[in-house]
Amino acid sequence: MNHPYIPHTEADIQRMLDRIGLKTIDELYADVPESVVFKKEYDLPPSLSETEIRRLFNELGAKNRRLTIFAGNGAYDHYAPSVIPYLIERSEFITAYTPYQPEVAQGTLRYIFEYQSLICELTGMECSNASMYDGPTAAAESMFMALAATKKKTRVLISETLLPQVRKVMHTYAKYRGVTLDTIPATDGTTDLAALQAELETDNVAAVLIPSVNRYGIIEDCTGIAEMVHARKGLLMMYADPSALAVIRTPGEWGADIVCGEAQSLGLPLHFGGPYLGFLACRKEWVRKLPGRVVGATTDTDGKRAFVLTLQAREQHIRREKANSNICSNQSLMALYVTIYLSLMGKQGLKEVNDLSYGGAHHLYDRLLETGLFEPVFSRPFLKEFVLKSKLPAENVHHALLDAGILGAIPTEEGYVSFCVTEQRTPEDIDRLLAVIKTLKP
Amino acid sequence: MKYYDKLIFEWSHEGRRGYSLPATPWSNTTDELPARLKRNTDTGLPEVSEPDVVRHYTNLSNMNFGVDTGFYPLGSCTMKYNPKINEEVAALPSFTSLHPLQPAETVQGALQLYYELNRALASLTGMAECTINPFAGAHGELTGLMVMRQYHMKRGDLKRTRIIVPDSAHGTNPASAAVCGLEVVEVKSTPQGTIDLNSLRPLLDDTIAGIMMTNPNTLGLFETEICEIASLVHECGGLLYYDGANMNPLLGVCRPGDMGFDIIHLNLHKTFSTPHGGGGPGAGAVGVAAHLTDYLPNPRVMRNEEGVFTVCDHEDAAGQISGFLGNFGVAMRAYAYIRSLGREYIRQVGPLAILGANYIKESLKDCYKLPIPGLCKHEFVFDGLINKETGVTTLDVAKRLLDYGYHSPTIYFPLLFHQSIMIEPTETESPETIDRFIEVMRLIADEATTEPELVKTAPHNTPIRRLDETTAAKHPVLRYAELSSEN
Amino acid sequence: MSEVKEGLYYSESHEWIKVEGDCGYVGITDHAQQALGNIVYVDMPEEDDEVTQNEEFGAVESVKAASDLISPVSGKVTEINEALEDQPELINQDAFGNWIIKVELSDKGELDALMDAAAYEAYCNENL
């Protein structure tokens, strides 16, 4: 019996062996040393039929709990228009390789060009690459990019208000490459600008990375930071939530040179952490330091408008050990996903997403304070996430909500609890969360 | 395929919309944010109706070639069939709705899948333990090299900062090494394209962290001296890294762990059938031998004695290399594939991939120059047409193939030959498909002699023809705002 | 066949230098531009940067290749050829007429390690 993915019958195999001049299929790997030929059984269960595969995955799925999400911290439960999965699952998109043959890959090349354009519009930058793996790795790559752009400088500063996973991944990358990566402390829920100014005095700082909306949900006021960093010939990098950039001041407007971040917030499913979508954009000055694939416009020999991978001399397949990054495959299909998302949502839709999230988050914030079980930590403008000080142990609140099927009150590094509200949360969801909280006794 | 010229921005009309959200039940909006924190510029997003969006992207897809469209013999990329059941199960809401910060007790099914996929990959490769946190092959390489460095660092062996990479390696290998802070030392290949032991020996000293290899190598040839290479590198205190880009032919044949490799990465989007998606998302699982498991990146998924799955960090880990647990949706597809084939059918993958490659090679070697005769594994390399007099190059042959409805093989790689054409058929292609491809390759070889201009100016039947890549690189136009301001 | 010009010094990495007093103009040879094909970008240092003999000071890129620029001498960059920023193809048109950087030489003795036109021509023929 053949497996449905493997067409060769015994007769086919014999005919093919005849052409090659061999008798048995084992002769095809006669050059593999006898001592390493694998003669045992793999430690795998036997083949499953399609019905059994379905059952297996449904059974595994049944061991998961579907929760009402009041958590963010870098992964957001936003609404996604129904048409997106139908379009991205089209065979011509999903089963294509990297568009190295542009004559038969204009579909992929065009959506990447659209994606780059949209990322530039949202961030206020002039160039974007075709995508990165996720936000944290995009941040790590932006660090290398800034070091290459500023040549002789060796140190990078990051704000303590960045998400923990962003800081961790950056530290891992920095450790092995030998980059000095230092953290600017937070003060009152935002980056400590006095501390930043003091660190910049060393004159060895290639770049500073600040979140546009930080891990407390607070919108960072970056007034004066670009001037401060540029005065020392360093670069300002910002870590942004592209969904929020529809309403909050853009990195471009703050004077940033490089912008990186996580684009999962543009309607991508939570999917237990991936696939997500890192993005990386910059001012044109730094385009030749940008890692990854980049699509540009051109024409074909008949003069038709066409698109092609360009500036390839930056990349690993040409520069080898001199390349600034090793990235090849990125998250192209997820870039298509957010391109379609942004096309559907448009100017007004993305504004409404932010208004609904903002409205719900502020409503929840006020109601939680009214319960008397929480105290405010900061009094700064926030968007869809916020932290509170809980009078009960954070873990207890978190678990009480879990028991009721709600993911919320995520304990932070400092022992605060964080909440997030998106446009997916209804007044009834919030009432249900509050009802659980009200059962807790201080 | 049909040429279609619009960009989404060119569909935009003020006042149209493609989304549907409820009216706000809340009293606050972002309008109340302080002016200095608000966006002052237009977002520049298009305003398009839902049907227009659907038609636009459907038309774009019609200009694309995929595995489902036709034969895709792209060497080194393992463009095998992408099963549809994988897509179905990966889209189950019982997985797609999971937040990555959900506590382990609420995601036992997801963790079990992650764990069992790792066990399956470990068994298929002969490694002790795996991680699927890396997002792609190159990311797997980087992660594996971090594990290698961490191993030396934890032993206090700090001077091991150099890594040996064959001159025939893909550019990603040296690039990954450099990103990991390693100095690249090239080892020469023999004229047969395998590692030259005599060039290797003098390079081995106490500054060598390890060696990066693929096996079969970039020419599709098995490194028959692998056991000697492994003992030489281990004797000098280095580790062996296996680049799993060429793992497909080994399924059912042999395992990197049994050859002496300490660290490997696998491209789940090559060997394990997950779709390439036009350039990702892929997944770059990393496997390590027993003495290196503590250095795998955080977070890790473990199974305790009661059979409960947990997510934890190890203090000796190489660090964290991803926001969460990698491209989990891709891992789901790979797991469905492995369970569908099971232990009996997965054994057929390698031998049949090798069979197809040798069949094509033997059927075309009288028209195309075969620089290294003899058996190949899952792929092989021609050095252009045998008849070089007409001036028809590998690029021309590749473009002409597009006219006949085939994707081009990998061209101009490896760099060992000037006119490389690297062909990898995979085990999912039927002999009839392969026969038709052989016919077309022979037809193109004939055309190259009888009508060379036809081949040199190919493609003729694709939505667009050859591109002006020089202007694109010299004056990069990378976004719509620049394109529209030019017109 | 590529051109070699008399009166210049040449390096094995295919750069030339034309010395005028204490300064030298550095470019890439006709042989190098032919090997690269259509040049799309020249990555140049900044004025006042120091360059060192046999060390990289920039790169020349074509569509599918990149080649490091290796300085034939040590010294300080006093000028860069700004015309190449917009028209890198000038190097393809006339490799010897379009210098890349002007360097104030710190040690004229270094020139002894370079080749003259005849030696460079022989070197190119050997390495074809």
Side-chain angles (χ1 to χ4, degrees):
Chain A
M1 275 283 281
N2 277 36
H3 189 279
Y5 311 156
I6 305 177
H8 307 66
T9 62
E10 281 304 319
D12 290 331
I13 293 171
Q14 206 47 57
R15 182 171 69 83
M16 293 172 83
L17 284 170
D18 287 346
R19 172 84 56 93
I20 305 166
L22 297 178
K23 291 206 168 52
T24 69
I25 207 152
D26 293 357
E27 291 172 46
L28 285 167
Y29 40 94
D31 50 346
V32 176
E34 182 67 17
S35 63
V36 302
V37 174
F38 184 66
K39 295 175 188 128
K40 290 181 278 186
E41 283 276 7
Y42 289 120
D43 184 14
L44 289 177
S47 167
L48 295 183
S49 67
E50 205 161 275
T51 342
E52 290 164 316
I53 293 279
R54 279 200 180 112
R55 194 178 308 138
L56 169 72
F57 276 76
N58 280 314
E59 281 167 8
L60 286 169
K63 295 181 188 175
N64 300 324
R65 274 182 71 200
R66 195 167 175 176
L67 305 173
T68 305
I69 308 294
F70 279 96
N73 300 77
Y76 302 93
D77 184 25
H78 282 294
Y79 148 79
S82 57
V83 303
I84 305 177
Y86 291 93
L87 289 172
I88 71 160
E89 283 282 337
R90 284 187 68 86
S91 282
E92 299 88 338
F93 285 133
I94 197 169
T95 72
Y97 190 72
T98 301
Y100 282 134
Q101 296 291 334
E103 296 89 342
V104 291
Q106 285 298 298
T108 302
L109 289 159
R110 278 186 184 242
Y111 80 65
I112 296 175
F113 186 81
E114 292 178 351
Y115 163 83
Q116 290 173 180
S117 307
L118 291 163
I119 291 293
C120 288
E121 291 292 346
L122 284 175
T123 56
M125 292 289 111
E126 293 161 318
C127 312
S128 160
N129 71 9
S131 80
M132 306 299 288
Y133 307 133
D134 71 348
T137 55
E141 294 267 10
S142 72
M143 162 174 76
F144 293 157
M145 186 182 163
L147 287 162
T150 53
K151 285 178 184 167
K152 285 152 204 145
K153 297 177 187 271
T154 58
R155 195 164 165 241
V156 173
L157 303 176
I158 58 173
S159 173
E160 204 224 309
T161 63
L162 284 158
L163 288 162
Q165 63 267 35
V166 176
R167 284 176 285 138
K168 281 181 191 169
V169 172
M170 291 184 82
H171 276 291
T172 304
Y173 274 62
K175 170 181 164 179
Y176 296 102
R177 190 124 190 219
V179 175
T180 310
L181 183 65
D182 293 315
T183 307
I184 304 295
T187 176
D188 192 23
T190 58
T191 309
D192 184 342
L193 296 192
L196 171 61
Q197 179 75 68
E199 292 292 343
L200 285 169
E201 299 296 325
T202 62
D203 242 8
N204 191 23
V205 175
V208 180
L209 180 65
I210 312 268
S212 78
V213 179
N214 69 29
R215 67 187 172 93
Y216 305 117
I218 293 169
I219 304 162
E220 294 248 355
D221 185 344
C222 299
T223 308
I225 297 184
E227 293 74 10
M228 206 188 279
V229 178
H230 290 153
R232 295 294 182 163
K233 295 207 161 36
L235 302 183
L236 173 60
M237 310 196 292
M238 292 189 74
Y239 190 88
D241 169 354
S243 173
L245 294 178
V247 295
I248 68 165
R249 193 158 168 184
T250 66
E253 290 171 310
W254 286 123
D257 301 278
I258 299 173
V259 187
C260 56
E262 175 60 69
Q264 182 276 337
S265 54
L266 297 174
L268 285 177
L270 287 166
H271 223 151
F272 201 42
Y276 288 178
L277 176 68
F279 71 92
L280 189 46
C282 65
R283 296 199 186 275
K284 196 140 199 176
E285 207 177 342
W286 312 116
V287 66
R288 289 180 195 264
K289 306 296 176 196
L290 190 63
R293 291 168 183 153
V294 173
V295 170
T298 186
T299 49
D300 78 350
T301 49
D302 296 338
K304 280 185 192 161
R305 181 164 74 171
F307 298 84
V308 68
L309 290 174
T310 192
L311 304 177
Q312 292 195 57
R314 300 162 296 119
E315 289 187 73
Q316 38 70 36
H317 63 278
I318 290 174
R319 277 279 161 91
R320 300 178 76 87
E321 68 268 27
K322 291 205 165 121
N324 203 24
S325 166
N326 69 337
I327 193 167
C328 319
S329 280
N330 40 86
Q331 304 280 105
S332 194
L333 200 71
M334 296 358 268
L336 172 61
Y337 190 110
V338 310
T339 301
I340 301 172
Y341 173 87
L342 289 168
S343 304
L344 290 163
M345 300 306 287
K347 289 176 214 283
Q348 187 55 29
L350 207 54
K351 164 85 164 58
E352 281 180 37
V353 162
N354 278 282
D355 281 340
L356 284 162
S357 305
Y358 179 92
H362 284 74
H363 176 80
L364 177 64
Y365 182 88
D366 293 341
R367 300 291 89 73
L368 284 171
L369 288 180
E370 282 169 11
T371 64
L373 289 169
F374 301 94
E375 287 171 8
V377 185
F378 309 114
S379 58
R380 289 179 180 272
F382 63 89
L383 200 65
K384 62 189 170 196
E385 279 177 287
F386 57 88
V387 294
L388 291 172
K389 205 177 281 171
S390 170
K391 292 179 184 168
L392 292 165
E395 286 291 340
N396 294 8
V397 182
H398 178 63
H399 280 103
L401 290 174
L402 269 186
D403 290 343
I406 294 169
L407 183 70
I410 305 289
T412 70
E413 291 163 50
E414 304 87 344
Y416 307 142
V417 288
S418 86
F419 291 90
C420 176
V421 183
T422 66
E423 74 285 4
Q424 301 261 68
R425 296 291 76 81
T426 62
E428 294 72 31
D429 290 337
I430 290 183
D431 289 345
R432 199 155 64 81
L433 183 149
L434 290 168
V436 177
I437 297 289
K438 283 171 187 162
T439 63
L440 303 174
K441 294 279 178 295
Chain B
M1 287 190 215
K2 205 171 84 204
Y3 183 66
Y4 160 77
D5 190 35
K6 276 204 172 186
L7 291 163
I8 193 67
F9 305 96
E10 293 158 353
W11 282 98
S12 184
H13 281 271
E14 204 180 329
R16 293 214 178 119
R17 67 177 180 135
Y19 67 95
S20 122
L21 285 165
T24 185
W26 316 117
S27 47
N28 305 66
T29 73
T30 57
D31 295 338
E32 70 193 30
L33 285 168
R36 70 178 186 289
L37 299 181
K38 274 197 290 198
R39 181 173 185 133
N40 288 314
T41 47
D42 188 84
T43 55
L45 299 182
E47 294 173 271
V48 194
S49 72
E50 183 174 317
D52 284 350
V53 168
V54 170
R55 201 159 283 161
H56 173 69
Y57 289 100
T58 303
N59 280 323
L60 283 192
S61 78
N62 285 335
M63 290 193 285
N64 255 16
F65 189 99
V67 173
D68 288 357
T69 325
F71 185 42
Y72 217 126
L74 200 60
S76 209
C77 300
T78 315
M79 298 300 286
K80 63 171 72 178
Y81 171 65
N82 307 136
K84 303 310 161 200
I85 183 76
N86 298 1
E87 299 305 313
E88 180 185 308
V89 296
L92 285 174
S94 51
F95 291 92
T96 58
S97 63
L98 301 179
H99 192 283
L101 296 180
Q102 281 189 220
E105 67 265 27
T106 67
V107 289
Q108 285 293 299
L111 296 178
Q112 183 179 342
L113 189 153
Y114 184 105
Y115 180 86
E116 287 180 358
L117 174 59
N118 278 337
R119 294 315 313 150
L121 296 175
S123 172
L124 290 166
T125 55
M127 308 311 285
E129 209 173 312
C130 298
T131 174
I132 43 173
N133 293 8
F135 294 109
H139 200 221
E141 282 180 25
L142 177 58
T143 306
L145 293 173
M146 286 172 172
V147 168
M148 184 185 284
R149 291 208 67 192
Q150 183 73 349
Y151 162 80
H152 292 307
M153 285 172 172
K154 282 286 162 190
R155 289 159 50 94
D157 200 351
L158 301 178
K159 59 186 177 305
R160 293 192 184 267
T161 55
R162 301 165 77 225
I163 186 138
I164 299 172
V165 179
D167 57 3
S168 63
H170 193 272
T172 315
N173 285 179
S176 299
V179 171
C180 196
L182 289 161
E183 186 195 333
V184 175
V185 185
E186 274 199 358
V187 60
K188 286 205 170 56
S189 301
T190 63
Q192 284 69 44
T194 53
I195 288 179
D196 185 347
L197 280 182
N198 292 326
S199 303
L200 176 64
R201 277 193 198 91
L203 303 176
L204 295 168
D205 61 29
D206 62 0
T207 65
I208 294 297
I211 185 170
M212 288 184 96
M213 289 176 66
T214 56
N215 193 14
N217 66 13
T218 51
L219 292 174
L221 303 174
F222 197 85
E223 295 274 359
T224 53
E225 294 181 306
I226 183 59
C227 298
E228 290 82 350
I229 294 170
S231 49
L232 282 173
V233 174
H234 284 149
E235 273 163 31
C236 102
L239 299 178
L240 272 83
Y241 183 90
Y242 179 80
D243 174 341
N246 294 349
M247 178 68 200
N248 207 44
L250 299 196
L251 289 179
V253 177
C254 54
R255 308 190 302 173
D258 299 334
M259 297 178 211
F261 284 99
D262 303 283
I263 307 170
I264 64 156
H265 92 259
L266 298 169
N267 301 69
L268 299 189
H269 48 291
K270 294 183 180 177
T271 314
F272 297 99
S273 87
T274 75
H276 282 70
V286 167
V288 296
H291 63 295
L292 299 172
T293 55
D294 288 350
Y295 312 122
L296 282 170
N298 290 328
R300 282 167 68 185
V301 176
M302 310 290 249
R303 183 175 182 269
N304 71 17
E305 285 155 11
E306 288 89 55
V308 174
F309 298 93
T310 58
V311 181
C312 53
D313 281 0
H314 194 290
E315 57 178 356
D316 287 340
Q320 185 168 332
I321 50 89
S322 56
F324 304 105
L325 287 166
N327 280 337
F328 185 77
V330 176
M332 290 180 73
R333 292 169 171 87
Y335 188 61
Y337 173 77
I338 291 172
R339 294 302 303 270
S340 172
L341 265 66
R343 67 171 170 241
E344 59 273 44
Y345 289 108
I346 210 152
R347 291 202 81 101
Q348 297 183 357
V349 169
L352 293 177
I354 299 172
L355 179 67
N358 279 285
Y359 181 77
I360 298 176
K361 170 173 65 70
E362 292 303 313
S363 305
L364 289 174
K365 68 179 184 187
D366 59 328
C367 315
Y368 293 87
K369 187 179 164 195
L370 181 65
I372 299 172
L375 281 178
C376 64
K377 290 289 149 302
H378 63 306
E379 65 191 6
F380 64 93
V381 179
F382 283 132
D383 188 9
L385 285 156
I386 288 179
N387 180 0
K388 306 259 189 248
E389 280 164 24
T390 60
V392 171
T393 63
T394 280
L395 181 71
D396 303 330
V397 173
K399 297 300 182 196
R400 188 65 181 144
L401 270 172
L402 305 179
D403 278 338
Y404 286 107
Y406 293 92
H407 198 273
S408 151
T410 295
I411 54 173
Y412 300 107
F413 181 80
L415 308 173
L416 296 166
F417 312 112
H418 291 298
Q419 293 291 326
S420 290
I421 308 179
M422 187 191 220
I423 298 175
E424 177 182 8
T426 87
E427 75 287 356
T428 63
E429 296 301 336
S430 72
E432 291 78 14
T433 303
I434 290 178
D435 279 335
R436 281 194 294 274
F437 172 72
I438 290 167
E439 272 170 44
V440 165
M441 284 291 281
R442 300 188 69 89
L443 185 63
I444 294 172
D446 282 343
E447 287 177 347
T449 310
T450 56
E451 284 180 278
E453 274 315 301
L454 179 72
V455 186
K456 285 181 189 174
T457 53
H460 304 280
N461 308 330
T462 47
I464 54 154
R465 308 211 21 226
R466 291 194 200 187
L467 299 177
D468 178 359
E469 298 192 38
T470 305
T471 305
K474 205 182 284 180
H475 304 291
V477 174
L478 309 180
R479 61 190 169 116
Y480 182 66
E482 287 177 316
L483 194 65
S484 48
S485 68
E486 272 192 352
N487 296 338
Chain C
M1 202 46 218
S2 57
E3 186 197 345
V4 174
K5 202 171 166 191
E6 290 296 329
L8 308 178
Y9 294 92
Y10 293 89
S11 69
E12 289 186 0
S13 48
H14 305 284
E15 286 84 13
W16 55 262
I17 177 166
K18 181 176 163 194
V19 180
E20 286 181 3
D22 289 336
C23 288
Y25 293 92
V26 178
I28 64 167
T29 66
D30 193 42
H31 176 88
Q33 75 76 18
Q34 276 188 20
L36 270 165
N38 288 338
I39 293 170
V40 297
Y41 181 64
V42 187
D43 184 14
M44 292 181 280
E46 286 171 23
E47 278 178 25
D48 294 336
D49 279 1
E50 294 288 332
V51 293
T52 310
Q53 189 176 35
N54 298 328
E55 284 186 17
E56 176 192 332
F57 70 88
V60 203
E61 294 178 5
S62 64
V63 174
K64 296 215 166 129
S67 178
D68 286 335
L69 290 164
I70 309 293
S71 184
V73 293
S74 306
K76 191 167 84 173
V77 178
T78 56
E79 209 179 328
I80 60 165
N81 187 354
E82 284 171 5
L84 297 176
E85 285 171 2
D86 284 333
Q87 292 175 282
E89 65 272 19
L90 289 172
I91 294 180
N92 291 120
Q93 288 159 16
D94 181 3
F96 293 111
N98 290 283
W99 53 275
I100 297 170
I101 55 170
K102 184 180 177 188
V103 181
E104 193 178 290
L105 276 64
S106 59
D107 176 7
K108 282 185 111 175
E110 284 178 345
L111 296 171
D112 296 342
L114 302 172
M115 292 174 271
D116 63 11
Y120 177 69
E121 194 163 7
Y123 170 78
C124 286
N125 289 335
E126 256 171 56
N127 290 284
L128 268 184

